[in-house]
Amino acid sequence: MADLHLVKPHPAQILLGAQAGAFALPVCDHYSGVEARMRKSLQLQADMGAEFGACVFDVTLDCEDGAPVGGEAEHAALVTGLALDAAPEARVAVRVHPVDHASFEADVATIAGQAGRRLCHLMVPKVESVEDVCRAVAAMDAAGATDLPLHVLIESPAAVHRAFDIAAHPRVQSLSFGLMDFVSAHGGAIPAEGMGLAGQFAHPLVLRAKMEIASACHAFGKVPSHNVVTEFKDSAALLTAARKAANELGYTRMWSIHPDQIRPILSAFAPSETAVHTAAEIVERAAAADWAPVSFEGRLHDRASYRFYWQVLERAHQTGRTLPAAVAHWFVPAAPAAH
């Protein structure tokens, strides 16, 4: 029998909270609502998972924009079937209608009630307050999906004002920013450029909203998810926007609405090769020192910086980057226990 004293704990056990919070989810959330595209999205997720060795994006099946008017019940049944038929390792979510929509309760009853065990989360749009969150949670619980995480979409000035209270709710896992509705909610006070690639990072009201949402998420260990970029054919511009969201505004996740957007988002949110190797060296030295302080390139590091560099490795793994052999073993799934 192996000497149990020689079995060292996993870094995530030592660096408390290192795997939780802002980096707890894949960095890309891909939306589709048309049946053929939803099926293609699930297949693409499986293909890229095999390519990268990790699930690098979520697939969110869309009821809000995907369901035809009058066909909400049929669309809810469709996405429920797709979720139930998805591969066991697939990460599938559903965006339902807003809590004040006539189909909301039926959406949740059907989708969470029948496929809740297969979903990674439920997305509720146009959340305005904690009361809306509580209503969504009550509907999920009534459907039997008591452990299903909730993602919410912040789309108005009032919702931005309440972002910290919304993020504080224990069932909320992520806040997304709804750029188009946010700009529209200002009645023309924000020009159309505020919805574009450049304007959304320059207009003070839009920029402030993005920062408030990111700050609220980080305050409560939740995932801030950046809005979609509608210019899906301009990969270079999308890459620039994604890098701004990741490096300047503190977002750790971003929406995609076209398959061509997924790889640029992964690239933008992935740490550089230099950052990965630096993180690997520091974490490896830290582990060898049993997490006591160490010196690296003339700088002293302790558990505070170890947490940061461990999160760099986590993000590299989530974005399909190849990890140095010295740390890669920490990211291999544990074998099932023998019976």
Side-chain angles (χ1 to χ4, degrees), residues 87-301:
E89 66 276 10
R91 284 186 55 89
V92 188
V94 174
R95 176 166 69 165
V96 297
H97 286 88
V99 296
D100 59 357
H101 191 280
S103 295
F104 170 73
E105 300 286 348
D107 275 355
V108 177
T110 297
I111 298 163
Q114 297 179 30
R117 68 185 185 280
R118 282 296 297 115
L119 299 178
C120 54
H121 64 267
L122 199 73
M123 161 61 79
V124 177
K126 296 178 173 57
V127 167
E128 292 289 316
S129 64
V130 175
E131 288 73 23
D132 287 348
V133 172
C134 292
R135 181 174 174 181
V137 169
M140 292 160 65
D141 288 351
T146 55
D147 296 323
L148 187 61
L150 178 65
H151 291 200
V152 301
L153 192 49
I154 304 297
E155 304 182 70
S156 74
V160 170
H161 175 70
R162 304 180 185 113
F164 280 79
D165 292 335
I166 293 169
H169 193 285
R171 196 70 167 270
V172 171
Q173 186 180 48
S174 174
L175 271 62
S176 293
F177 179 50
L179 171 67
M180 316 299 279
D181 281 276
F182 178 81
V183 172
S184 298
H186 285 77
I190 299 177
E193 289 77 13
M195 295 185 283
L197 279 169
Q200 65 176 284
F201 291 100
H203 194 283
L205 287 176
V206 178
L207 195 59
R208 172 184 171 273
K210 291 187 180 187
M211 295 171 65
E212 285 290 300
I213 290 169
S215 182
C217 285
H218 289 295
F220 295 100
K222 308 301 172 69
V223 178
S225 187
H226 192 264
N227 56 271
V228 68
V229 168
T230 56
E231 297 91 339
F232 61 85
K233 291 186 177 181
D234 193 341
S235 296
L238 171 66
L239 185 62
T240 298
R243 283 176 174 162
K244 284 180 175 290
N247 298 329
E248 298 176 18
L249 301 182
Y251 281 80
T252 59
R253 182 168 160 101
M254 185 169 177
W255 285 35
S256 159
I257 55 169
H258 190 280
D260 290 347
Q261 294 184 321
I262 295 173
R263 290 180 187 270
I265 290 172
L266 292 179
S267 177
F269 280 81
S272 68
E273 184 175 343
T274 299
V276 172
H277 282 276
T278 297
E281 286 195 46
I282 291 173
V283 172
E284 183 185 7
R285 290 190 186 193
D290 290 327
W291 310 103
V294 300
S295 175
F296 179 76
E297 295 183 347
R299 292 187 177 183
L300 185 67
H301 292 275

Side-chain angles (χ1 to χ4, degrees), residues 10-91:
H10 193 278
Q13 295 175 289
I14 297 296
L15 307 176
L16 298 177
Q19 283 189 310
F23 296 99
L25 300 172
V27 300
C28 182
D29 189 6
H30 181 64
Y31 276 71
S32 55
V34 177
E35 181 176 1
R37 293 173 186 169
M38 291 190 286
R39 293 186 184 277
K40 287 181 179 179
S41 297
L42 290 169
Q43 183 59 55
L44 181 61
Q45 184 189 68
D47 293 343
M48 290 183 68
E51 176 186 347
F52 289 112
C55 182
V56 292
F57 68 94
D58 287 347
V59 170
T60 297
L61 310 177
D62 191 12
C63 289
E64 185 188 23
D65 291 335
V69 175
E72 291 87 355
E74 292 78 8
H75 198 77
L78 170 63
V79 301
T80 299
L82 290 173
L84 289 172
D85 291 341
E89 66 276 10
R91 284 186 55 89

